[in-house]
Amino acid sequence: QLGKELRAPLQPLRRSLISREENAVRTVELVFDFAKAQPEVFMVGVRELYGASKPVREALRKVIDEVAGDLAEDMRVMQITPGLDDKTARELAEVVVVQTFHSTLDYLEHPDQRAEILRRVVQFINALFVGAMAIHAGLPLATMVSTQQLKKPE
């Protein structure tokens, strides 16, 4: 139920906005406002993402998956991530949703830092997508970073 209540206003909001930057700010604000209206539910939910109850973890992962799927679809329809294939956009959307959900804990627990928390989450989202688009476009630095081999420490 909570997932449906959160998802319902997100898509119309995202599709009414023009720029990627404004989209990120307004979407994160909406999630934070939603969490503020139901702080106990959000705090328990985020904390239980890694809790002992498998059914609860699975239910929460389903909400994240649905919200991320909506986000990826909105980005595709609105063409705000040019050059990214659907698989990459979907993977990045999931990272964004998980990070935003986790950030709600700080947002709820530190009201005096809310503007800074919002700024950091939006900066993270923009850096993630701009970086992915740069890698896809084959920009020199991005290509260099994306082709490095990961090595185990010796």
Side-chain angles (χ1 to χ4, degrees), residues 2-150:
L2 182 67
K4 288 179 184 178
E5 290 177 27
L6 175 60
R7 291 173 61 207
L10 281 172
Q11 188 174 62
L13 173 72
R14 283 193 296 252
R15 291 195 180 188
S16 70
L17 302 171
I18 303 297
S19 71
R20 181 181 62 255
E21 293 80 14
E22 182 185 12
N23 201 304
V25 171
R26 300 295 167 246
T27 299
V28 174
E29 284 176 338
L30 190 146
V31 172
F32 284 172
D33 287 345
F34 189 84
K36 237 181 1 183
Q38 303 178 60
E40 295 84 12
V41 173
F42 241 84
M43 289 178 132
V44 169
V46 172
R47 288 180 176 143
E48 286 301 314
L49 277 172
Y50 305 102
S53 172
K54 185 175 181 177
V56 172
R57 286 193 320 267
E58 288 174 349
L60 293 168
R61 291 307 275 159
K62 183 177 183 217
V63 171
I64 288 171
D65 187 61
E66 291 170 347
V67 173
D70 292 347
L71 174 57
E73 174 65 12
D74 292 344
M75 291 185 306
R76 185 189 64 73
V77 167
M78 297 174 60
Q79 301 178 350
I80 59 174
T81 51
L84 289 187
D85 60 274
D86 292 344
K87 181 179 182 288
T88 301
R90 178 64 179 74
E91 290 169 352
L92 296 176
E94 183 172 336
V95 170
V96 165
V97 171
V98 169
Q99 180 62 34
T100 303
F101 281 10
H102 279 286
S103 296
T104 62
L105 294 180
D106 287 336
Y107 188 82
L108 293 170
E109 292 174 347
H110 304 286
D112 58 319
Q113 298 174 22
R114 287 181 174 164
E116 178 60 16
I117 294 165
L118 173 66
R119 185 197 65 75
R120 282 194 325 247
V121 172
V122 170
Q123 181 180 17
F124 168 79
I125 292 168
N126 288 332
L128 187 67
F129 282 103
V130 168
M133 290 184 289
I135 290 169
H136 182 76
L139 298 179
L141 179 60
T143 302
M144 183 178 75
V145 170
S146 70
T147 58
Q148 291 179 353
Q149 296 294 320
L150 297 178

